[in-house]
Structure formats: C-alpha cells, structure tokens
Amino acid sequence: MSPALPRLSSARAPLTREVEIVDEHGERGLVSIPAERDLTVYVDRRELVTLMTLGAQPELLVLGYLLNQRLIESAADCESITVDWEVNAAAVKTHSGIDRIEERTAKKVVTTGCGQGSVFGELMAGIEQLALPPTRMRQSQLYALVNAIRLQESTYKSAGSVHGCALFTLGEGDDDTTMQCFVEDVGRHNAIDTIAGWIAMQPPGRLEGGRVFYTTGRLTSEMVIKSAQMGVAIVVSRSGITQMGHEVATKVGLCAIGRATNKRFVCYAGAERLELQPELALR
C-alpha cells in the first residue's frame, strides 16, 4: 500500500486587489495588482521560515518547499499542513520530526530574483547523485508548449508583476504535450516549490511520460537543482540562464532552453535531449 498523504487545508486568499492610479495623461483610474503576503511556516511548532507569496495554493507551496530543501523525503513524512490567513501562518505536523533540523537549517543562502528567496545550505550538496530520466523532446513539442503558455489565462495578463511556472508531460505525437499544472507567484522559486508539492500529492502513474518544466523567470542554479530533484530533465524559460545555472545543468545532464518565445529559442545545455527540426522555424 502507498503511504498516506498529508491532510491539507484549503486556505484561499484574493490573488489581486484594485488600487487607484494616475496615468501619463493625469487621468485617474483603477487597476488590479497582485497580492503579496507573508506566510510564516512552523514545523512541529518550530518556526522555520517566512515566505512572501501570492497565496494561490499555500499548502502545496509549503510542502514543495520542505521537499526541495530536502528537509523531508516525501509528502508522506507530513501528517498535515494547515494554513490560516488570519494569522498568516502555516502549521506543519510531521509523523516523526525532522532529523537534525537545527543543524540543517543553520546556514541560509539568499537567492537572486523577485521575492528574494532563501535556501538552506544543503540544497547545493549532493547534486552529483541526481539521476535524470532519458527524456527527449522534439522541436515541434517545444513550440506546442510555448503556445500553450501563450494561451493560458493568468494573473500576469490581468495584473502583471508575477512569475508563472508550468509542468508538462510529453506524448508520442509531434506536438503532443499536456500541461499538467500551472502556478503563478511573486517569485519563481515559490512557483516551482508549489509544483513540487503538487507532484508529491499525485497518485502513482498520474504523470507518465517525460516531464518538462517551464518558467517565465531566469534559470538560476536554484531553479535547475529543484527541477532535477523533481525528476525533470528538460527546462524551458522565457528568459535566460545564469553561469551557475549553466554549470549545474551541464553537471547533471539537464537540457536548459532559454529565450523561448514564438519560434525562437536558445539551447544552453543538454542539446542531445532536443530533437531539432530547424525547418519548423521557417514556417
């Protein structure tokens, strides 16, 4: 039998709010802007970290954060995750505690990008042991993926100022891609953590086929490592890649594709995972 998954609350909060603005013509009006709220995470009544988040799926964000920080091995390590927006807190109850939690969370690294995330020092350790699946993607599938993102309804389209991330699975057809999960947040690190939490809650066999991760943000070392930890061998970004992101992608054998808009893209690493069809770029 599969181990029991944690009980999750269903806390929700408005994703946008209206504010009064004055434009370049001196005219007043109302526009929507993304919400941003603090969420303090407590693990077995011990304060761990405060995350700045949009608050769309906070329980999955917390679960994915713990997984991506390697503080837990699976969702089954948690008994429950309860979010209460009245006090802006998430209470995580584990079955057996987190081994050496004080030692493992003593060193923090402030990461780049919006939301200014922080990761614990052990995130960078042991990346040589990451083994990625033999995922390959056709150029036609890449174009289908980018088009699916273009058509996706989003907070970004209505209010801007957020990052979007998505998980796709690949089928057998030339343009066979399926968007499994789409998440937006004020920081790309929050969005990828939420997707990691979503993956952890899926039943066995739910995500068959090669996995591809998409982000609107830069491919930093943090994003590459977290993608690899999620069993994703191909990442696609609307933006570019950093030096450390490139080094980590090369080290673990991950295909990193950036500047992906319309029919343009740059493959920075792992080109052997991409089946090129250059004639498609001319159509």
Side-chain angles (χ1 to χ4, degrees):
M1 295 179 61
S2 299
L5 294 175
R7 300 188 307 275
L8 305 182
S9 62
S10 298
R12 295 295 178 265
L15 302 185
T16 62
R17 60 168 295 185
E18 285 193 335
V19 297
E20 185 175 323
I21 55 91
V22 179
D23 66 15
E24 68 276 13
H25 302 293
E27 297 181 356
R28 296 183 178 273
L30 294 175
V31 299
S32 293
I33 60 173
E36 182 181 13
R37 45 182 64 89
D38 57 295
L39 180 66
T40 301
V41 180
Y42 296 85
V43 178
D44 297 324
R45 299 187 178 183
R46 179 187 186 275
E47 183 175 340
L48 180 67
V49 68
T50 296
L51 306 173
M52 301 304 298
T53 177
L54 193 66
Q57 300 178 72
E59 296 85 4
L60 295 181
L61 166 60
V62 171
L63 176 59
Y65 183 84
L66 295 176
L67 287 164
N68 277 337
Q69 299 297 323
R70 302 178 193 166
L71 295 175
I72 60 174
E73 293 185 4
S74 72
D77 290 342
C78 297
E79 180 179 327
S80 63
I81 301 176
T82 304
V83 173
D84 184 349
W85 284 123
E86 290 190 4
V87 293
N88 287 33
V92 180
K93 184 177 181 181
T94 67
H95 289 290
S96 304
I98 295 178
D99 185 44
R100 301 169 30 247
I101 187 170
E102 292 83 3
E103 175 187 342
R104 294 164 68 184
T105 59
K107 180 181 178 182
K108 290 186 179 181
V109 178
V110 177
T111 62
T112 61
C114 55
Q116 196 177 55
S118 63
V119 299
F120 298 114
E122 288 195 0
L123 180 66
M124 303 295 290
I127 60 173
E128 295 83 1
Q129 280 71 51
L130 291 174
L132 297 179
T135 308
R136 286 177 56 85
M137 178 173 65
R138 302 181 186 90
Q139 189 167 332
S140 56
Q141 291 175 311
L142 172 59
Y143 287 160
L145 179 156
V146 171
N147 189 56
I149 292 293
R150 181 181 65 84
L151 298 175
Q152 175 70 27
E153 290 298 321
S154 64
T155 300
Y156 179 82
K157 289 180 179 179
S158 63
S161 303
V162 295
H163 273 299
C165 293
L167 179 72
F168 287 82
T169 51
L170 303 176
E172 298 296 328
D174 284 345
D175 58 355
D176 189 358
T177 62
T178 302
M179 185 189 295
Q180 299 287 353
C181 182
F182 177 80
V183 175
E184 291 177 299
D185 212 315
V186 293
R188 60 184 184 274
H189 44 270
N190 282 352
I192 193 172
D193 285 348
T194 303
I195 289 179
W198 181 85
I199 291 173
M201 294 296 292
Q202 303 310 302
R206 169 70 172 77
L207 298 174
E208 295 182 349
R211 299 177 185 179
V212 180
F213 175 73
Y214 174 89
T215 177
T216 56
R218 297 183 303 279
L219 297 177
T220 62
S221 56
E222 177 191 12
M223 297 296 284
V224 172
I225 291 171
K226 287 182 177 182
S227 296
Q229 289 181 166
M230 289 161 29
V232 173
I234 300 174
V235 295
V236 180
S237 170
R238 191 174 65 190
S239 185
I241 195 169
T242 66
Q243 177 184 341
M244 283 190 66
H246 182 267
E247 290 176 357
V248 174
T250 302
K251 184 174 293 187
V252 302
L254 181 143
C255 177
I257 298 171
R259 304 295 182 187
T261 57
N262 298 320
K263 293 193 174 182
R264 295 187 177 187
F265 65 88
V266 175
C267 185
Y268 295 103
E272 67 276 4
R273 293 185 180 273
L274 180 60
E275 184 179 321
L276 292 169
Q277 299 166 291
E279 68 277 6
L280 297 181
L282 303 175
R283 296 179 185 174

